[in-house]
Amino acid sequence: MIPIHPVTSDEYPRQTNDSMNSSENCPDKPEEACGVFGIYAPGEDVAKLTYFGLYALQHRGQESAGIATFEGTHVHLHKDMGLVSQVFNESVLEHLPGSIGVGHTRYSTTGSSRKVNAQPAVLDTRLGSIALAHNGNLVNTVQLREELLQSKCNLVTTTDSEMIAFAIAQAIDAGADWLEGAIQAFKRCQGAFSLVVGTPIGVMGVRDPNGIRPLVIGTLAGNPIRYVLASETCGLDIIGAEYLRDVEPGELVWITEEGLASYHWSQQPQRKLCIFEMIYFARPDSLMHNESLYSYRMRLGRQLAEESPVDADIVFGVPDSGVPAAIGFSQASGVAYAEGLIKNRYVGRTFIQPTQTMRESGIRMKLNPLKDVLVGKRVIIVDDSIVRGTTSRKLVKTLREAGAVEVHMRISSPPVTHPCFYGIDTDTQDQLIAATKSVAEIAQQLEVDTLAYLSWEGMLKATGEDPNSFCSACFTGDYPVAIPEQVKRSKLILEKAGV
Ligand code: SF4
């Protein structure tokens, strides 16, 4: 077997900063795992197009960003800790020539927040280099890691994404071509994976057999031989690409100079898109099932108003993700919509720790109440989810201090009772407030006058799709891909260790 070497080129070293993962900077929300982007566009500035694609996908991961481009057989790579706009500038992009690009934005769920774990993962193989960008989480990493180590693979990171890249490289070095090698590797993987894989001759887009994480295909400026792959349609819109279709669960699309070829590599594909993508993660202007998520989230709010009405003066959402549901709630209930909280849109993830006094003022770093709107009012505040409840409690206190006389909280999803193992950071079960407390007990803890969640049936009904075509395991514990006990235990150990 030809030894497989990780390519670690790093032409523009920058300072890393692991404080980005500190609890001070972690919101009390599930965190998205990653955004992926791929492009096949000879004659275009693929590095710049990939940069803007990642810029639109920034909400899917803010810890690190990376771009690999292929110029013939030569791969250029730049990746680092930080936001897309911090990692790249004009000079860096000028050093990334080529006709094929692969990009990644990362939030770590497997492997700690370190530069070495930034993606794309780039490896040399018998046929040339591959650059792999992954959104999701494998659940059979223990077994896969052991198999790869036994075959003398030189794993240098702690990510499952690198394991997938090594599995592809291993198959190719054993004699397979690009396509066979990739399919052999994907068949060894269990869990959630939406991937973009660049090679010297083309780029692949792949979804796991359940299609848990999204991945879409577009064409550049209507040119059918220049293709784009992105986690969400907002990654196409920003570069003027037209949405063509989704990559299907268990499908591999292989884009080369001959065009786009499709291969259904899984025998048992089924649709199990993460419902949380619809509720919260994906951008509201992204399309899923041919409509914007803004429209779906407004329907969630209307359904919530029908299920749990309450007499009040104004309704507003927690910016930004609670706003569409609050508008829907207002439309269905007749309660006036108002802005009760203003978000500092430029806050992002700060590298600087706040002072103790600032820490005590807590939530006002990001959200500030509009006192003249709130004073003397009975208010309904709509949010998309509650995970630990710590932020919600501070928020309620802020509204009361600003003069609200009653605070009613409405949540446009059911109680989160189970952790996610498919690439979303939802904490361990013991840290989920709804796993151990009743709705009445949570209301008491948050110090709200009333609290109501949307029903599971109502959430699925609002999709207008077959309710069986979604993963909703964090609300039910019904996981579409079985979670090995070892994986459940290791999540608990890592959480307790603060990793
Ligand atoms: S467990 Fe929850 S967050 Fe994870 S994929 Fe399923 S629905 Fe999404």
Side-chain angles (χ1 to χ4, degrees), residues 28 42 71 101 123 134 207 237 302 331 349 410 423 464 472:
D28 181 21
E71 186 185 27
L123 294 183
H134 174 207
R207 278 176 90 194
D237 296 339
R302 284 201 282 272
Q331 288 172 348
R349 279 194 173 203
R410 294 293 179 268
S472 58

Side-chain angles (χ1 to χ4, degrees), residues 212-213 274-276 281 419-422 424 426 471-474 479:
I212 294 173
R213 298 277 147 243
C274 167
I275 192 76
F276 243 125
F281 297 132
C420 178
F421 297 92
Y422 306 136
I424 300 299
T426 49
C471 172
S472 58
C474 47
Y479 295 98

Side-chain angles (χ1 to χ4, degrees), residues 203-220:
V203 62
M204 295 175 196
V206 184
R207 278 176 90 194
D208 68 71
N210 294 289
I212 294 173
R213 298 277 147 243
L215 188 64
V216 299
I217 313 168
T219 54
L220 200 58

Side-chain angles (χ1 to χ4, degrees), residues 32-35 57-62 105 107 135 214 231-232 277:
E32 180 55 89
C34 297
L57 297 171
Q58 184 73 83
H59 60 290
R60 298 185 69 89
Q62 294 103 42
T105 60
Y107 172 81
N135 175 204
S231 292
E232 296 177 33
E277 293 278 357

Side-chain angles (χ1 to χ4, degrees), residues 367-397:
L367 297 173
N368 213 13
L370 283 167
K371 289 185 184 167
D372 54 335
V373 173
L374 295 165
V375 71
K377 298 283 188 352
R378 298 168 302 160
V379 308
I380 304 169
I381 179 162
V382 181
D383 205 352
D384 51 77
S385 57
I386 301 177
V387 178
R388 297 183 186 209
T390 46
T391 305
S392 307
R393 188 182 153 93
K394 283 184 198 160
L395 197 51
V396 172
K397 186 166 175 266

Side-chain angles (χ1 to χ4, degrees), residues 269-289:
Q270 58 172 352
R271 289 177 191 280
K272 289 288 178 188
L273 176 67
C274 167
I275 192 76
F276 243 125
E277 293 278 357
M278 309 267 297
I279 295 166
Y280 165 65
F281 297 132
R283 262 177 42 170
D285 53 334
S286 284
L287 296 179
M288 285 191 189
H289 302 122

